[in-house]
Each structure stands twice: as structure tokens, then as C-alpha cells.
Amino acid sequence: MSGVPEPKALLTLMAGHFTGGGVPETTLIWVEALGKVSSHMVLVFDNPEPNHWPANWCSATSSVLFDAHGEYDFGSYKKGLQHAEEQGWLDLATHVLFCNDSVYGPIADIANTIEPMLEKTNEAWGLTGSHQLTPHLQSFFLVLGTELLRKPAIRRLFDGVVRQPHRQAVIE
């Protein structure tokens, strides 16, 4: 052991949904902030492709998918994980951030929030917890170490996502 910490590589999977012909300003700001802390990003929007979106969303380290799949955030996370695997990005990641475009911000440097979450690859972190139905971390901002994400039960959770009739069914 050299005592030198392993480099951390954050793969961000962002779920989004919007109507109209253009990307909301809040989403543009959020994606820009996420890009500063992410090694790779997959942006998955549950809507048709808009008239205009930033060209830099498609690059050697970033992809954007537009697909009106109707599977809510977890469907977007499933599609994002599949795409990241196809690109080889999941193998390069030490952590995966699952987030959505309902976040307004950030209001400060997001690196300060993310850094402590990247210390161990066998932990899950969330910004907010909920006691609705059962205690759980909110899925709008969830970081999983890849050691945890590779566990068969966790992957089955994401891979098994199917379309639900309404948001409450997703929560349940």
C-alpha cells in the first residue's frame, strides 16, 4: 500500500422531465454544476427531444437521452445505468450519483457536499430522508459507491423497474 488515496470518479445519472420546446434554465444550471464534479454524466429525460439543448451534453464524457418512457425517475436511472455500462463508464466509476432535475441550485460549491460522500465505495448517501411508508433516502439526490451498486439485490432494484400507473405506486 502506498498510502496514496485512490482517485475518485463520479458517474452522474440525472433524470429529468420538462414540457415545451426548450430546456428550463434551472435544469441548465444544475447540469452545469454537476458537470464540474462528475467524471461522466448521462442525462435521461422522460420526454421527447426539445427544439434546443446544449451541444456539450454530448461529448466524450457526457450523453443525453430523450425518451418518453413514463417510468419516472427510476426508469431514467435504469436507462442511464444501461447506457453507462454500454459506454464503459460504470466500470470507471467509484461512485454513482442518482439525481433529478427538480433540484433548484446549487447555491454553493457542490464539491463540498459531494466530497465526503466519495470516501468509501460501500456506502449510500442521500441529502434528504423520508418516513413516508418506511424510512428511506429520497431519490432526487442519492450517491452509491460502486461496491454497493454492484450487489445483485441493488442492481435488481434498478434493472427491474417497470412503468407504474402513478407517482404513488413508484413510492410504494
Side-chain angles (χ1 to χ4, degrees):
M1 288 219 196
S2 66
V4 177
E6 299 253 344
K8 295 160 185 86
L10 180 65
L11 166 64
T12 294
L13 306 177
M14 190 191 84
H17 175 78
F18 56 87
T19 58
V23 181
E25 184 68 23
T26 54
T27 301
L28 296 170
I29 292 167
W30 186 224
V31 171
E32 182 180 345
L34 293 169
K36 292 177 182 174
V37 296
S38 304
S39 302
H40 294 90
M41 288 195 321
V42 182
L43 312 172
V44 185
F45 292 95
D46 185 7
N47 50 262
E49 184 174 334
N51 298 332
H52 305 287
W53 49 276
N56 67 344
W57 284 5
C58 286
S59 70
T61 59
S62 180
S63 292
V64 62
L65 308 172
F66 294 100
D67 176 20
H69 54 75
E71 294 179 345
Y72 295 91
D73 288 354
F74 279 92
S76 291
Y77 298 155
K78 173 182 73 174
K79 292 176 183 304
L81 277 171
Q82 291 166 347
H83 183 78
E85 278 186 313
E86 291 167 6
Q87 299 300 310
W89 297 347
L90 188 56
D91 290 334
L92 299 174
T94 59
H95 297 80
V96 178
L97 167 61
F98 299 90
C99 62
N100 70 32
D101 66 346
S102 68
V103 172
Y104 290 90
I107 57 173
D109 183 4
I110 194 169
N112 294 331
T113 301
I114 296 274
E115 258 181 52
M117 299 176 183
L118 304 182
E119 291 304 315
K120 296 180 182 175
T121 60
N122 63 349
E123 293 183 344
W125 288 76
L127 287 185
T128 308
S130 172
H131 291 282
Q132 186 177 11
L133 299 179
T134 185
H136 64 278
L137 296 173
Q138 293 283 320
S139 63
F140 74 90
F141 191 100
L142 182 65
V143 175
L144 296 180
T146 52
E147 187 178 332
L148 185 62
L149 184 61
R150 287 187 178 99
K151 296 204 177 282
I154 302 295
R155 279 312 299 265
R156 278 193 304 273
L157 173 92
F158 287 102
D159 293 340
V161 171
V162 294
R163 190 174 188 157
Q164 299 295 320
H166 47 77
R167 184 177 169 271
Q168 186 62 33
V170 174
I171 294 168
E172 291 168 4

